[in-house]
Amino acid sequence: MKKAFYILSVVLLFAGCKVQKTAQVQEPVQRDGRFMYYFYEAERCLSQQEFDRAMCLLVFCEQLCPDDAATHQALGYMYQATSQKELALSHYEKAFAGEPTVYWSHYASMLFELEQKDKAAEVLSRASTLAPKDIDILEALSAVYTDQKKYKKALLVQDKIESVEGITAYNALARYRLYLQLGNTEKAVQAIDNYLRENPDDLRFRVFRADLFLSQGKEHEALELYEQELEKHPDNPFVFLSLSNYYGSKDMPE
């Protein structure tokens, strides 16, 4: 338990930074000097591994300022560290209600862990509405939809990600896999081709089309593409890896 709280003490230090940051941008609740003193004293206690005192101070902070999001987030950390998941979830929910674009991550993660995946998707969807250009939120939402096999919804989120940061290896790969899950090979290949048009030297992506043909049993087409790739990039390690797996499956270890 002490180890868990030690890790927690480092994390909670950042919660204090959130108090300062949000105070400059948004002031959802009134924090007086007394509250700030006890909150930072709780941080000090955590850094000294005085966990019981830190907990008492945070509970007192909650009494002083019942709607303070940073306090609820810190209490959520502490309850989660002692495996009191329902209490942790309750405080994460309050933290999210206070500052949804700041305190969405732990709340959504715990909902997901507790198999409340629809609720996790709702939380992330709300956060993304409030912060439409936050890539971390969008990627988390896409991941939840993908886990739920809601592939079309995940693709819509990928559209938003691409509109913010352009075509990257990460979202191209995510789009490729989602289209494969939907059985749309043509769109999957198009996702790879779109990325390669902007990043022609990405050796990993250059073998994706051949890998796809191979997975579909189109061995002749796949081997031709591997050969063409080796002519252009004879040191592409991903071609050799794919060919090694292929020949291994054919019981040709040599």
Side-chain angles (χ1 to χ4, degrees):
M1 183 180 296
K2 282 192 174 183
K3 182 179 179 182
F5 271 122
Y6 179 75
I7 297 172
L8 173 66
S9 66
V10 178
V11 177
L12 186 56
L13 290 175
F14 290 96
C17 295
K18 293 292 186 183
V19 173
Q20 291 181 318
K21 178 180 178 182
T22 53
Q24 297 172 1
V25 179
Q26 177 184 4
E27 190 66 33
V29 294
Q30 186 64 38
R31 305 180 178 101
D32 59 21
R34 186 169 62 149
F35 167 84
M36 299 302 292
Y37 169 80
Y38 286 114
F39 188 89
Y40 289 122
E41 177 63 10
E43 288 184 342
R44 187 197 66 78
C45 290
L46 280 172
S47 69
Q48 298 296 317
Q49 301 186 44
E50 299 172 8
F51 304 121
D52 291 339
R53 179 170 168 77
M55 175 63 87
C56 290
L57 287 166
L58 286 170
V59 170
F60 185 56
C61 286
E62 183 186 9
Q63 294 172 357
L64 289 175
C65 196
D67 297 324
D68 183 70
T71 300
H72 286 297
Q73 184 74 359
L75 285 167
Y77 288 146
M78 297 197 74
Y79 285 124
Q80 185 175 4
T82 54
S83 299
Q84 300 181 70
K85 295 182 179 180
E86 292 300 329
L87 277 172
L89 184 65
S90 174
H91 283 287
Y92 286 149
E93 182 177 13
K94 292 174 183 177
F96 177 77
E99 298 184 44
T101 60
V102 176
Y103 297 119
W104 56 271
S105 178
H106 284 77
Y107 184 34
S109 295
M110 181 149 282
L111 286 168
F112 192 85
E113 180 183 343
L114 295 174
E115 296 296 324
Q116 299 182 38
K117 296 180 180 179
D118 286 337
K119 180 65 174 178
E122 289 177 12
V123 165
L124 292 168
S125 180
R126 182 187 169 196
S128 70
T129 300
L130 296 171
K133 294 185 178 182
D134 191 314
I135 297 299
D136 291 335
I137 296 174
L138 292 171
E139 288 179 349
L141 180 57
S142 178
V144 171
Y145 282 146
T146 300
D147 181 83
Q148 294 179 298
K149 302 187 186 319
K150 297 178 179 179
Y151 303 125
K152 291 183 179 179
K153 284 190 173 184
L155 281 167
L156 290 175
V157 178
Q158 288 299 321
D159 289 341
K160 294 179 181 179
I161 293 173
E162 191 172 308
S163 71
V164 174
E165 62 178 9
I167 300 176
T168 66
Y170 184 87
N171 60 44
L173 182 58
R175 190 181 292 277
Y176 168 79
R177 290 172 173 167
L178 287 167
Y179 279 127
L180 288 184
Q181 291 289 348
L182 289 169
N184 194 330
T185 303
E186 183 178 346
K187 286 284 189 178
V189 171
Q190 184 180 338
I192 299 304
D193 289 345
N194 289 343
Y195 172 76
L196 283 173
R197 271 195 292 272
E198 296 186 13
N199 304 274
D201 296 326
D202 190 318
L203 298 181
R204 179 68 187 96
F205 274 75
R206 291 186 65 87
V207 301
F208 270 21
R209 180 180 287 197
D211 289 347
L212 178 58
F213 283 151
L214 203 60
S215 69
Q216 295 175 320
K218 300 177 180 179
E219 298 181 7
H220 178 71
E221 293 91 333
L223 292 173
E224 279 190 347
L225 287 177
Y226 288 135
E227 185 176 340
Q228 291 173 15
E229 175 59 18
L230 285 177
E231 289 177 359
K232 296 178 181 177
H233 300 93
D235 296 325
N236 187 336
F238 299 105
V239 177
F240 295 115
L241 181 60
S242 295
L243 289 174
S244 176
N245 291 333
Y246 168 70
Y247 287 118
S249 69
K250 293 295 183 180
D251 197 24
M252 300 171 66
E254 70 281 2

